Amino acid sequence: MSSYKRTTSVKVLLLTDSAGKLSELVSWLEDLGRQVVMAFSPRRALRILHSDHTIDLVIAEASASRGHGSKLLQSVKQDPRTKSIPVIIVDTQFDDAVVRDYLQKGIDDIVMLPIAKETFEAKIRNATDRGKETILVVDDEPLIRDLLEQFLLLERYKPICVESAERA
C-alpha cells in the first residue's frame, strides 16, 4: 500500500519562531478541524515535509528564523515532492517588492496580520480545497494501481483505485 495516504483531517505545517506568536491562528485552525504541526526552523519544516506525506498546507511566518519563510517557500515550490502543497506567508506588513518576490516564487496566498477570523478561515478553506478532485483508477495490476495512486496523491488528487470495471 502507498505511504502517501491522505488523512481525513487537513494537516497544516506551521513555521514560526515562537509558538505563542501565532497562537490565535493555531486556535482558529483547530476550530476548523485542522491538525497543526509546528516547526521552529526552515530546516525542521523541510524535514517534516519530506517525511510526512500527509501535510496539506504550509503556513510560514515571513520573519521566521530571520526571514527564512521566503527560503522555505522557494524550497517547497522547487521540489517535485512538495511543489503542489499550498504555501501561505503570514506577516504584519508586506511591501510591494516583497509581494512580487513571493508571487515569483509561487506563493498561494498572503495573510496580513491582524486578520479577522472569518477572512483567515476563508483563506485556509480556499488553499486546502484546491486540487481535491477525485480520480478513478481501474487496473488489474496492483503495482500499476499503487504507482498511479502515489503519483495522484503527490499531485493533490483523491484517487479511488479498483481492480476491475465491475468494482468501479
Side-chain angles (χ1 to χ4, degrees):
M1 219 31 157
S2 169
S3 64
Y4 291 88
K5 289 293 176 207
R6 306 305 303 149
T7 59
T8 54
S9 174
V10 172
K11 192 182 274 189
V12 178
L13 173 61
L14 180 63
L15 170 64
T16 182
D17 283 337
S18 165
K21 216 179 209 182
L22 300 179
S23 60
E24 187 173 49
L25 298 185
V26 171
S27 175
W28 292 349
L29 287 164
E30 290 171 347
D31 288 349
L32 285 170
R34 287 8 185 208
Q35 182 182 356
V36 179
V37 177
M38 302 287 285
F40 299 101
S41 74
R43 178 177 289 160
R44 177 73 180 131
L46 286 171
R47 267 188 269 167
I48 291 169
L49 280 171
H50 292 151
S51 64
D52 184 344
H53 304 286
T54 63
I55 299 292
D56 298 289
L57 173 65
V58 174
I59 299 176
E61 184 183 358
S63 58
S65 299
R66 296 175 304 281
H68 285 79
S70 176
K71 290 178 182 161
L72 176 66
L73 166 65
Q74 189 166 2
S75 296
V76 168
K77 293 303 182 178
Q78 288 179 347
D79 187 329
R81 297 172 292 179
T82 59
K83 70 180 180 181
S84 65
I85 298 173
V87 178
I88 296 175
I89 298 288
V90 177
D91 208 345
T92 56
Q93 63 184 25
F94 294 98
D95 64 35
D96 288 343
V98 170
V99 171
R100 275 193 303 276
D101 179 56
Y102 287 144
L103 290 170
Q104 289 173 347
K105 291 178 181 171
I107 190 75
D108 293 276
D109 208 341
I110 292 173
V111 170
M112 179 84 87
L113 299 175
I115 187 170
K117 182 179 182 180
E118 295 77 20
T119 304
F120 178 74
E121 289 175 349
K123 286 177 174 276
I124 297 306
R125 281 191 193 99
N126 183 49
T128 57
D129 290 346
R130 283 189 227 151
K132 299 292 184 178
E133 295 85 5
T134 301
I135 294 182
L136 176 63
V137 176
V138 180
D139 197 292
D140 60 350
E141 284 292 324
L143 178 62
I144 299 298
R145 282 194 315 271
D146 191 48
L147 288 171
L148 286 170
E149 180 183 33
Q150 287 182 38
F151 172 76
L152 291 168
L153 287 169
L154 283 171
E155 293 299 319
R156 316 304 279 174
Y157 291 99
K158 290 194 234 177
I160 298 174
C161 299
V162 296
E163 65 276 355
S164 68
E166 292 82 34
R167 298 258 318 162

